[in-house]
């Protein structure tokens, strides 16, 4: 049965609504707006990229360019600058010293950070919050303010002109950050996993090693990477506590390549590339774990 009325007879059905296309002026304004948005995005990024890559290219140019050349392209490529800085300037010794200090600081900071972070995350004790606040406040103290007290302490302990002074100083200054980060990582591990292990007969230490420690791999990588880079790049403590050339680290060795009456820019650039190489290799290897660890540690305070 039809429901059409008399008025509907002979009426032409309405056409479906058509999509209105923008007029010429509107389309022009839209294109201008999109071009302006892209320009506001890409212009700062391009300037930042040039600011970052131009000095790096200049260092690569001086490192691989033959001595006396003024070309803007390092051709023919030569390794003479690397040989001269590695053998003639004793840079190989500086590199080994920096590796020793950075690896030792990494191990000590990570181990103490795991133990202290576990205590801050799992245990309840009097003065916990006060200790955490004081520890965080130490990060606002510049290292330069502590040079004279640290020098007197190390001098009394006969640790001046020793790599142990650098290891201790770098570890102590990086330890608060390691504790805070590791405590955040451990808080993200459910307590029920440890409780289940303890029900099965594990003690607290065994439960930590069997259950919590395998889940802390991203956090350990993040904390260890920051500790390594902090110790590797530290110049202030090394120039203050070390006086023998055979115990110099890479930053101090680079500073001594700047001569009083002239500077070998080729050797200096080659030394700079050698100093950057371990950090680049480290981040290329651990970047996946580093991003995962930092995002995990930022979930809970």
């Amino acid at each position: 049965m039809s429901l059409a009325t008399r008025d509907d007879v002979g009426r032409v059905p309405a056409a479906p609504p058509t999509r209105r296309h923008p007029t010429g002026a509107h389309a022009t304004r839209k294109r201008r707006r999109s071009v302006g948005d892209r320009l506001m995005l890409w212009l700062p990024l391009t300037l930042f990229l040039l600011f970052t890559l131009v000095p790096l290219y200049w260092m690569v140019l001086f490192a691989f360019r033959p001595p006396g050349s003024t070309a803007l392209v390092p051709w023919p490529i030569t390794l003479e600058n690397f040989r001269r800085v590695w053998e003639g300037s004793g840079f190989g010794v500086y590199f080994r010293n920096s590796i020793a200090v950075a690896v030792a600081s990494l191990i000590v900071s990570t181990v103490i950070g795991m133990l202290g972070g576990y205590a801050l995350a799992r245990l309840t004790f009097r003065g916990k919050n006060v200790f955490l606040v004081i520890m965080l406040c130490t990060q606002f103290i510049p290292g330069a303010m502590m040079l004279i007290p640290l020098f007197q302490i190390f001098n009394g302990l006969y640790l001046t002109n020793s790599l142990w002074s650098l290891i201790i100083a770098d570890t102590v200054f990086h330890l608060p950050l390691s504790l805070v980060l590791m405590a955040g990582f451990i808080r993200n591990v459910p307590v029920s996993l440890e409780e289940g292990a303890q029900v099965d007969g594990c003690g607290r230490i065994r439960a930590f090693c069997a259950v919590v420690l395998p889940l802390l791999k991203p956090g350990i990588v993040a904390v260890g990477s920051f500790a390594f880079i902090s110790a590797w790049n530290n110049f202030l403590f090394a120039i203050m506590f070390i006086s023998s050339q055979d115990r110099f680290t890479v930053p101090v060795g680079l500073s001594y390549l700047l001569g009083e009456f002239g500077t070998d820019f080729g050797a200096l650039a080659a030394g700079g590339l050698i100093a950057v190489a371990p950090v680049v290799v480290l981040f290329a290897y651990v970047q996946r774990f580093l991003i995962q660890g930092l995002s995990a540690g930022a979930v809970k305070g």
Side-chain angles (χ1 to χ4, degrees):
M1 180 175 180
S2 176
L3 299 178
T5 62
R6 182 178 299 177
D7 296 335
D8 294 333
V9 177
R11 178 179 297 179
V12 179
T18 58
R19 185 177 180 181
R20 297 180 59 187
H21 295 282
T23 60
H26 179 70
T28 303
R29 287 196 300 269
K30 188 174 181 181
R31 283 196 299 269
R32 288 177 180 175
R33 189 162 53 247
S34 62
V35 171
D37 293 341
R38 288 197 296 268
L39 185 63
M40 292 178 61
L41 174 64
W42 288 106
L43 183 59
L45 292 178
T46 303
L47 293 177
F48 177 76
L49 190 63
L50 291 175
F51 182 79
T52 305
L53 293 183
V54 169
L56 181 61
Y57 175 76
W58 211 250
M59 185 168 60
V60 173
L61 177 64
F62 274 93
F64 290 100
R65 192 171 62 181
S69 175
T70 59
L72 296 179
V73 178
W75 189 263
I77 294 177
T78 179
L79 299 178
E80 176 63 23
N81 294 322
F82 291 91
R83 186 197 63 80
R84 190 166 64 254
V85 73
W86 188 267
E87 298 176 358
S89 302
F91 217 77
V93 178
Y94 309 154
F95 190 86
R96 289 193 295 270
N97 292 338
S98 289
I99 287 290
V101 172
V103 171
S105 299
L106 182 154
I107 295 174
V108 177
S109 297
T110 305
V111 172
I112 299 179
M114 283 192 300
L115 299 177
Y118 183 84
L120 292 174
R122 292 287 192 259
L123 304 181
T124 302
F125 53 89
R126 183 176 299 177
K128 174 180 174 180
N129 295 330
V130 176
F131 170 76
L132 185 61
V133 170
I134 294 175
M135 185 177 58
L136 291 176
C137 289
T138 60
Q139 297 297 292
F140 298 99
I141 302 177
M145 294 181 59
M146 306 301 294
L147 283 178
I148 295 178
L150 286 176
F151 183 83
Q152 292 179 345
I153 293 173
F154 290 143
N155 190 38
L157 297 175
Y158 301 100
L159 290 177
T160 53
N161 199 28
S162 172
L163 296 181
W164 283 108
S165 60
L166 301 181
I167 295 172
I168 295 173
D170 291 334
T171 301
V172 169
F173 271 82
H174 184 73
L175 194 56
L177 180 61
S178 299
L179 290 172
V180 173
L181 289 178
M182 194 60 69
F185 300 139
I186 295 175
R187 288 192 186 100
N188 291 323
V189 179
V191 183
S192 58
L193 298 178
E194 289 183 72
E195 294 175 348
Q198 292 176 3
V199 169
D200 292 337
C202 294
R204 183 180 291 272
I205 297 178
R206 186 177 178 183
F208 173 80
C209 296
V211 178
V212 180
L213 190 59
L215 300 177
L216 292 180
K217 184 177 180 180
I220 293 173
V221 170
V223 171
S225 299
F226 282 119
F228 182 90
I229 295 172
S230 176
W232 180 268
N233 293 331
N234 198 308
F235 171 77
L236 197 59
F237 293 155
I239 196 66
M240 184 68 180
F241 302 147
I242 303 298
S243 57
S244 299
Q245 188 174 358
D246 58 345
R247 293 182 176 86
F248 283 169
T249 57
V250 168
V252 180
L254 284 175
S255 68
Y256 273 80
L257 291 178
L258 299 172
E260 182 178 359
F261 301 103
T263 301
D264 188 350
F265 289 104
L268 184 62
L273 288 181
I274 294 174
V276 170
V279 179
V280 174
V281 173
L282 176 65
F283 267 96
Y285 179 71
V286 306
Q287 61 177 344
R288 177 169 60 91
F289 302 104
L290 184 62
I291 295 174
Q292 182 181 356
L294 290 177
S295 61
V299 175
K300 297 181 181 180

